[in-house]
Amino acid sequence: MHILFVVNDALGLKADQTTTMLLRAAAVSHGSAWVASVDALTLSEAGRVDCQAREVHPAETTAIVRDLPNLDAEPRSVESFDVVMLRTNPGRDGRGWAHATALSLLRLVRDRGSLVLSDPDGLRRASSKLYLAEFPADLTPRTLVTRDIARMRAFMASVAGPCVLKPLDGTHGRDVFQVDPAQGQNINQIWDVLHRQGYVMIQEFIPEATEGDVRLLLLHGELIELDGGVAAVHRVPGGADFRSNVSAGGRAVAADVTPALRRVAAETGPLLRRDGIFLAGLDVIGHKIVEVNVYSPGGFQDAEVFEGVDFSRFVMDEVARMRAGGTP
């Protein structure tokens, strides 16, 4: 099986990232694995989708990352690969044009017979935090998305408690504010910061957020479970910061996947399967989904350490099974 991973920056991968772990599993167990940056795709005059890609040799993730800069980028037809794994993060590098173009080009590749994961049309549909509006209402916090400050104030008054304000297209916990009008915070200034970035998402604050969130990893809309282990991570806020993102000072601990969390996964699975989302990460506080990660959900390294299970190999085994004709 020849597999291509499309990422933000082929030379920017880190050894502990889920993408690198999947790359290693593909190279070690499933033939040849290649990686290309999202802006290295080309539509040729003949209408063929090409790329500049580097072949990853079987090795530990630290060696893969170390050796990538020394590998030559070779011209390849994307359509010659059996599988294309789209592991980009549009919110991380501010190049929306590159990611939008990649989706369009990979739609062509899909339609010409290659297996593209996840489905480009599904990713386009799920690429915004507005995707939450399609999930069952009882599984999501009360939410308003607007650029109207009066609507924001009316919503916060109706909640009668703290709210969380964040940019609609943000990532990694950047510019996320917990606001309680009763405390006389500088709401106007916070609004100005977010309003300059586009639409603003306002959500009711979920009290359980002080205990952190749980990242549930789903394959074909089902919890990834193997040898008694579940691919899930509990992220705990660091210090006085309510955000549990590791990039914001949070830390990962083993997750207790409760019946309530299993219900969240079970009720969201059909939507993810409908949209062809191969691998997804649900960030859950209490029993409310606050984020849906569909492009390049992470957490595998911590989950594998906590559970003692090779989830990366399991995922790539499933890719191989699908390529061989197996149905999701």
Side-chain angles (χ1 to χ4, degrees):
M1 179 175 69
H2 302 285
I3 181 167
L4 173 69
F5 286 74
V6 178
V7 302
N8 279 33
D9 177 9
L11 301 184
L13 292 173
K14 296 180 174 59
D16 61 352
Q17 290 177 325
T18 295
T19 298
T20 312
M21 296 170 67
L22 294 173
L23 257 174
R24 177 187 179 277
V28 169
S29 304
H30 294 290
S32 67
W34 297 68
V35 60
S37 300
V38 70
D39 61 353
L41 304 180
T42 298
L43 181 64
S44 73
E45 292 180 65
R48 187 183 64 209
V49 181
D50 297 328
C51 70
Q52 294 286 326
R54 293 172 168 83
E55 185 174 11
V56 173
H57 302 292
E60 294 301 318
T61 55
T62 51
I64 288 174
V65 169
R66 181 196 65 215
D67 294 340
L68 269 173
N70 302 318
L71 300 175
D72 291 332
E74 303 177 24
R76 291 292 303 262
S77 166
V78 177
E79 298 159 43
S80 70
F81 289 96
D82 299 306
V83 182
V84 179
M85 291 279 289
L86 192 58
R87 293 284 303 177
T88 61
N89 188 332
R92 182 175 294 176
D93 64 9
R95 296 181 301 162
W97 52 268
H99 301 277
T101 301
L103 287 181
S104 296
L105 293 176
L106 291 178
R107 182 188 297 114
L108 294 175
V109 173
R110 176 203 65 192
D111 292 346
R112 293 169 183 172
S114 291
L115 178 62
V116 179
L117 300 171
S118 291
D119 182 79
D121 292 327
L123 286 176
R124 191 181 297 278
R125 181 169 186 162
S127 61
S128 166
K129 290 185 177 71
L130 290 174
Y131 194 48
L132 276 176
E134 300 193 42
F135 284 69
D138 65 325
L139 296 185
T140 60
R142 288 185 58 193
T143 302
L144 173 73
V145 176
T146 187
R147 283 180 56 80
D148 184 336
I149 191 170
R151 294 285 300 271
M152 180 270 289
R153 289 187 175 279
F155 175 86
M156 293 180 68
S158 71
V159 170
C163 288
V164 174
L165 278 65
K166 53 190 172 184
L168 182 62
D169 296 319
T171 185
H172 278 71
R174 289 193 292 265
D175 293 331
V176 177
F177 301 91
Q178 179 185 344
V179 176
D180 187 346
Q183 296 179 1
Q185 292 167 290
N186 296 326
I187 298 176
N188 286 344
Q189 288 87 339
I190 292 172
W191 174 264
D192 287 343
V193 168
L194 299 176
H195 189 265
R196 284 195 294 269
Q197 301 179 45
Y199 273 90
V200 182
M201 174 175 276
I202 307 100
Q203 295 177 318
E204 65 175 337
F205 180 75
I206 304 170
E208 291 91 339
T210 57
E211 302 169 8
D213 67 6
V214 175
R215 163 69 59 85
L216 300 175
L217 290 159
L218 279 64
L219 185 68
H220 299 312
E222 297 184 358
L223 275 174
I224 301 175
E225 299 191 62
L226 181 66
D227 298 334
V230 182
V233 178
H234 184 186
R235 301 183 302 182
V236 181
D241 196 326
F242 78 100
R243 297 172 298 171
S244 55
N245 307 75
V246 174
S247 58
R251 60 187 176 87
V253 299
D256 176 19
V257 182
T258 64
L261 289 173
R262 289 183 177 276
R263 171 178 167 263
V264 170
E267 293 197 15
T268 56
L271 180 64
L272 297 171
R273 287 191 290 274
R274 180 201 73 183
D275 293 335
I277 303 300
F278 175 70
L279 190 60
L282 302 181
D283 293 343
V284 184
I285 297 177
H287 67 277
K288 302 284 189 180
I289 304 169
V290 293
E291 296 276 358
V292 185
N293 303 270
V294 295
Y295 274 92
S296 55
F300 274 43
Q301 184 189 50
D302 290 321
E304 291 188 3
V305 169
F306 296 141
E307 301 295 332
V309 174
D310 191 347
F311 293 118
S312 304
R313 170 70 180 273
F314 177 74
V315 169
M316 295 315 302
D317 286 349
E318 175 59 14
V319 172
R321 189 191 69 81
M322 291 179 66
R323 180 56 191 170
T327 57

